[in-house]
Amino acid sequence: MTVGALEFREPLMLLLVLAAVPVYRLARRAPGRVLFSSLDLLPETGGGWRARFVWVPDLLVALAVAGFALALAGPRTGEGFTRVQREGIAIMMVVDTSGSMSALDLSTPERERTRLAAVQDVFEHFVLGGGALPGRPNDTIGIVSFAAFADTAAPVTLDHENLVAVARNLEITTVREENRTAIGDALGLAVERLREAPVQSRVAVLLTDGVNNAGVESPRAAAELARTLGIKVHTIGAGTTGIAHMRVARPGGSVLRAVRVEIDEATLRDIAARTGGRYFRAADAEALAEVYAEIDRLERAPIAEDRSRQYDEWFAWPLAAALALAAAGWLVRGTLFARAP
């Protein structure tokens, strides 16, 4: 309930103001009067000011009741509601964890790292901010990891600290039977998770360094589903093609082994084109960081929200007035307008 700029937190408490009327009447009928059989027995005084204002203490007590009711109603003023523009979308990161992600071609001069470690580093900056990336504090973000099978590592969430911890715990598949790449299944799972997100703008970022050779759903079918639901898919081809080096454990240490790698760029381009996204190529560490920076610039959707401001509480004023009125009423009743027993 509002009255101009003033509003009441508990407006139903205002009904207690009506109690002031019966309180006043009960106070007026309280004992303390001397009864006579005839007014002829009283002297002709013509009445004094005490007689004329004997109702004042009762009125003060009744007004105190009204003041208490007003204080209980919680009067307050505030800045009302302000329409604030912020940015926020739902993003699902789809990350390849097959064996080829152990290639070292995304290392930096300062640090040797696998492709997956490079993705984990850039993903952390993308989410929390770092380097040239400002972070995504208003976005709900999730992770789907995949090799031969797709798995929801984290549903879309605003708990970005835990999200990054989940990303850091992703591991490259070491089981031979699972060392394949199910791009279609992974994208299909990401689309299903984004379908549940309660926002209008939904984006999937699919990163892989291989060719679809496992799973049930084809990449094209998953892309069509994403297009139907209005989900944009950006695709990233990570690493070099042809020959890449991987570190292989050996008794007493490790050695570098050259392996042949291949990225199905045609499929990744098709997925992006069908869904209105873009295909990016990240052949080295610097290019990977630039890809995520470009995606960060592309995916900024304005969302309007109503945000309430802080209120100033004014209950203390009617409460203080009620206490003063009650004290004054009982004081003058016991002194100036004392009643005979």
Side-chain angles (χ1 to χ4, degrees):
M1 177 179 178
T2 59
V3 179
L6 187 70
E7 68 176 66
F8 296 94
R9 186 177 59 254
E10 302 291 343
L12 290 179
M13 289 295 178
L14 290 175
L15 295 175
L16 294 177
V17 172
L18 300 176
V21 176
V23 167
Y24 175 76
R25 290 182 176 177
L26 289 173
R28 294 289 294 141
R29 295 169 61 181
R33 298 176 176 83
V34 179
L35 301 179
F36 295 89
S37 61
S38 174
L39 293 178
D40 294 336
L41 298 177
L42 295 175
E44 292 290 336
T45 62
W49 65 270
R50 287 186 178 85
R52 291 195 299 273
F53 295 102
V54 69
W55 49 269
V56 169
D58 306 322
L59 179 62
L60 292 176
V61 173
L63 291 175
V65 171
F68 284 126
L70 188 60
L72 288 172
R76 60 184 183 177
T77 56
E79 299 179 25
F81 291 89
T82 304
R83 183 161 289 273
V84 178
Q85 292 288 333
R86 68 176 181 87
E87 297 174 342
I89 59 179
I91 303 174
M92 184 62 77
M93 297 305 218
V94 190
V95 181
D96 192 342
T97 58
S98 61
S100 56
M101 289 293 286
S102 61
L104 302 175
D105 50 358
L106 296 184
S107 298
T108 65
E110 300 80 20
R111 176 188 167 201
E112 181 180 284
R113 61 181 181 177
T114 64
R115 290 174 175 175
L116 179 59
V119 172
Q120 291 167 329
D121 290 342
V122 178
F123 178 74
E124 180 173 346
H125 291 164
F126 181 80
V127 175
L128 300 180
L133 296 169
R136 314 285 300 199
N138 296 318
D139 298 329
T140 56
I141 305 174
I143 302 172
V144 166
S145 62
F146 69 99
F149 306 100
D151 179 55
T152 303
V156 288
T157 178
L158 281 171
D159 187 356
H160 292 167
E161 293 289 343
N162 282 330
L163 178 70
V164 169
V166 169
R168 282 292 178 193
N169 287 328
L170 293 178
E171 296 181 350
I172 295 171
T173 297
T174 57
V175 179
R176 183 183 297 272
E177 293 75 15
E178 297 180 7
N179 190 20
R180 291 184 293 165
T181 308
I183 295 175
D185 285 2
L187 180 57
L189 179 59
V191 168
E192 287 300 322
R193 293 293 176 262
L194 286 172
R195 186 208 293 262
E196 304 164 0
V199 294
Q200 291 185 346
S201 185
R202 295 167 293 178
V203 176
V205 179
L206 169 65
L207 182 145
T208 183
D209 65 348
V211 177
N212 184 72
N213 55 16
V216 176
E217 190 168 10
S218 70
R220 176 175 294 185
E224 282 299 317
L225 178 61
R227 183 186 62 80
T228 302
L229 296 175
I231 297 173
K232 186 188 301 182
V233 183
H234 297 300
T235 56
I236 305 173
T240 59
T241 56
I243 300 298
H245 289 87
M246 302 180 186
R247 189 164 292 280
V248 180
R250 289 286 186 267
S254 63
V255 296
L256 289 178
R257 185 179 69 183
V259 296
R260 180 166 296 279
V261 291
E262 180 184 1
I263 301 174
D264 189 353
E265 294 191 78
T267 294
L268 296 180
R269 291 181 187 279
D270 181 67
I271 292 172
R274 288 177 183 274
T275 61
R278 288 180 55 183
Y279 169 67
F280 299 92
R281 188 75 176 85
D284 54 38
E286 184 178 348
L288 182 64
E290 291 174 355
V291 165
Y292 273 86
E294 179 64 20
I295 293 173
D296 182 77
R297 287 189 292 269
L298 286 173
E299 300 306 332
R300 294 281 178 179
I303 296 178
E305 65 175 1
D306 288 327
R307 184 177 300 169
S308 59
R309 299 301 188 185
Q310 185 176 358
Y311 287 98
D312 293 321
E313 303 286 346
W314 300 104
F315 69 89
W317 292 96
L319 178 61
L323 291 172
L325 288 169
W330 292 113
L331 181 62
V332 297
R333 169 60 67 204
T335 55
L336 297 177
F337 297 98
R339 293 174 177 174

